[in-house]
Amino acid sequence: MSHKSPKDFFRPLAVGAPAPLREIPARPSRAIHFFDPSNEKMAAKVPGMIGTVDVLLGNLEDAIKADNKVAAREGLVKIAQSTDFGPTQLWTRINALDSPWVLDDLTTLVPAIGDKLDVIMVPKVQGAEDIHYVDRLLAQLEAKAGIQRPILIHAILETARGVANVEEICGASPRMQGLSLGPADLAADRKMKTTRVGGGHPGYLVRQDPPKDADGNSQIDAQRSVFQQDLWHYTIAKMVDACATHGIYPYYGPFGDIADVVACEDQFRNAFLLGCVGTWSLHPKQIAIANRVFSPSVEDIAHARRVVAAMGDGTGAVMIDGKMEDDASLKQCLVLVELAEKLAEIDPELKKQYDAIEVQA
Ligand SMILES: CCC(=O)SCCNC(=O)CCNC(=O)[C@H](O)C(C)(C)COP(=O)(O)OP(=O)(O)OC[C@H]1O[C@@H](n2cnc3c(N)ncnc32)[C@H](O)[C@@H]1OP(=O)(O)O
Ligand SMILES: O=CC(=O)O
Ligand SMILES: [Mg+2]
């Protein structure tokens, strides 16, 4: 929870800093696409990605070699200053708060490109104190640079302590925009015995009960189905609840098996169904997967609109295709319908698909 009194929660933390937002806008952010601004090949691809991805994120932290930290920071400044991002948001991931680079990241980026940066992703957040530190520093830098709207903060949940403190992290500042899961660092910090970046694990499974023979003895050596389980279910569910409580947005994170587009889509879909609004994309081919998964399907929108139409003033119970619908299922349908409306505003192809739906009686 905030250490500030309620009356001070929305007060700027520096004289001249922009007023904090009262509500975090629900801007589409199905894919947060990571690029290394010090990698010329990747950077060259960025302008062509505008309009095809909801968020472009210039990464300065892990995956950027120590020798390239300054080049990545400077590369991001150059790209941001020379590019019109149109409908695409520009985010960055700064270095960890205990690193030798983060202070220069913030004191360079805010004056140079603070007017273009929508969100700053902060890695390895442990508790509200980390958000308070960045919050005050951003306010000071915004005031000094004359930035007109507050830069928002997104925290990566990737330490055991961060997960334990997820509620206070979400409520630490009106700048808090959302949370991403960081399964790679979180696995290491928890001492999980895995070596992967996100996704499931064949050893984490539930096995079907053994069949019994005629005498009722269990045949434990018989062939049995196994069902791989989701290692991240608990953390994502916890994150979703904390974000919903505080009116901010939850995201899945990295899926490192770039070649396995099928399992990637499954992991993204689990997160979407549990309440996440988007995910990370590490490679250009993950953008289309994220855009597809985090946009409600035409079938879901057709059904949702049918329920909305049948429910009239929104109270009571009706039967549709043999299933009961009432005030609560209507609310679920409205989540999908409202998301579709937001996405249709920025995605002409989706708009065409949603507009073509005929509402069945
Ligand atoms: C695990 C915890 C975390 O912190 S995850 C977040 C940090 N990691 C990252 O940001 C990784 C970002 N991605 C990458 O570095 C690369 O995609 C990796 C995974 C190394 C694969 O690169 P590479 O072997 O070049 O792939 P490729 O040959 O299939 O690339 C084809 C062309 O696409 C480009 N490309 C690749 N990744 C990106 C990207 N993220 N954004 C923009 N462009 C990208 C490549 O440069 C390559 O370009 P070209 O066709 O040769 O001109
Ligand atoms: O930063 C992401 C992670 O999985 O670690
Ligand atoms: Mg990490």
Side-chain angles (χ1 to χ4, degrees):
M1 284 300 127
S2 164
H3 294 249
K4 291 187 261 182
S5 72
K7 77 175 176 30
D8 287 336
F9 190 68
F10 291 102
R11 202 185 284 264
L13 289 177
V15 175
L21 300 182
R22 297 266 159 176
E23 207 170 310
I24 300 300
R27 294 184 69 181
S29 41
R30 294 164 292 183
I32 303 168
H33 181 74
F34 276 58
F35 69 94
D36 171 356
S38 72
N39 177 322
E40 281 177 14
K41 265 192 178 176
M42 272 196 212
K45 294 224 164 9
V46 165
M49 288 176 156
I50 291 167
T52 69
V53 62
D54 297 339
V55 179
L56 280 163
L57 180 145
N59 179 30
L60 306 183
E61 199 225 9
D62 291 356
I64 309 301
K65 285 181 92 53
D67 285 351
N68 289 346
K69 292 291 184 184
V70 175
R73 189 191 299 137
E74 285 172 356
L76 178 58
V77 168
K78 199 167 127 208
I79 292 165
Q81 285 176 340
S82 60
T83 309
D84 176 358
F85 286 87
T88 296
Q89 298 182 58
L90 177 66
W91 294 22
T92 186
R93 177 170 79 168
I94 56 171
N95 284 288
L97 298 181
D98 62 356
S99 76
W101 305 292
V102 65
L103 190 59
D104 288 344
D105 290 344
L106 288 168
T107 57
T108 303
L109 296 181
V110 177
I113 58 168
D115 53 341
K116 289 220 163 155
L117 275 179
D118 294 291
V119 176
I120 290 181
M121 187 181 269
V122 184
K124 302 176 178 64
V125 170
Q126 301 272 12
E129 72 280 6
D130 289 341
I131 304 301
H132 293 156
Y133 169 78
V134 177
D135 197 10
R136 176 78 75 173
L137 184 53
L138 282 179
Q140 292 167 339
L141 292 168
E142 287 168 343
K144 192 168 170 213
I147 305 291
Q148 297 297 306
R149 48 124 188 80
I151 300 167
L152 302 180
I153 298 176
H154 181 106
I156 312 181
L157 207 58
E158 53 182 350
T159 65
R161 202 177 138 228
V163 175
N165 289 335
V166 63
E167 291 273 350
E168 65 166 41
I169 291 169
C170 290
S173 159
R175 284 185 202 272
M176 281 301 299
Q177 178 275 343
L179 293 181
S180 285
L181 175 74
D185 271 302
L186 183 55
D189 196 56
R190 282 177 172 162
K191 301 196 172 14
M192 289 167 65
K193 308 304 181 289
T194 56
T195 56
R196 300 173 170 212
V197 174
H201 194 289
Y204 192 69
L205 53 83
V206 171
R207 190 178 301 271
Q208 188 185 25
D209 278 2
K212 294 198 191 308
D213 64 16
D215 300 325
N217 299 316
S218 293
Q219 302 292 290
I220 54 169
D221 292 329
Q223 270 289 356
R224 291 186 263 163
S225 304
V226 292
F227 305 93
Q228 211 171 300
Q229 305 293 297
D230 185 353
L231 286 165
W232 306 108
H233 177 82
Y234 155 77
T235 315
I236 292 176
K238 192 168 164 137
M239 210 173 85
V240 166
D241 283 344
C243 286
T245 302
H246 290 277
I248 67 173
Y249 302 103
Y251 298 75
Y252 181 69
F255 190 87
D257 191 345
I258 309 289
D260 193 349
V261 291
V262 177
C264 174
E265 177 151 353
D266 292 336
Q267 182 80 68
F268 287 179
R269 185 162 289 106
N270 287 350
F272 174 67
L273 290 170
L274 277 182
C276 290
V277 299
T279 186
W280 299 5
S281 149
L282 304 183
H283 187 279
K285 68 180 170 191
Q286 291 185 335
I287 295 174
I289 304 173
N291 284 351
R292 180 164 66 247
V293 170
F294 287 91
S295 308
S297 68
V298 164
E299 293 72 31
D300 277 350
I301 295 305
H303 173 74
R305 288 195 190 151
R306 221 175 138 197
V307 174
V308 172
M311 280 295 293
D313 74 352
T315 63
V318 295
M319 284 286 273
I320 295 183
D321 295 341
K323 297 195 184 88
M324 190 278 306
E325 308 284 350
D326 71 358
D327 313 45
S329 59
L330 170 68
K331 285 177 192 154
Q332 294 176 64
C333 291
L334 288 173
V335 168
L336 290 168
V337 168
E338 283 161 19
L339 174 58
E341 282 167 6
K342 280 255 169 268
L343 292 173
E345 284 170 19
I346 57 132
D347 189 327
E349 179 49 36
L350 266 182
K351 180 172 161 44
K352 226 188 292 164
Q353 292 176 26
Y354 293 147
D355 284 351
I357 297 169
E358 283 173 31
V359 178
Q360 274 178 267

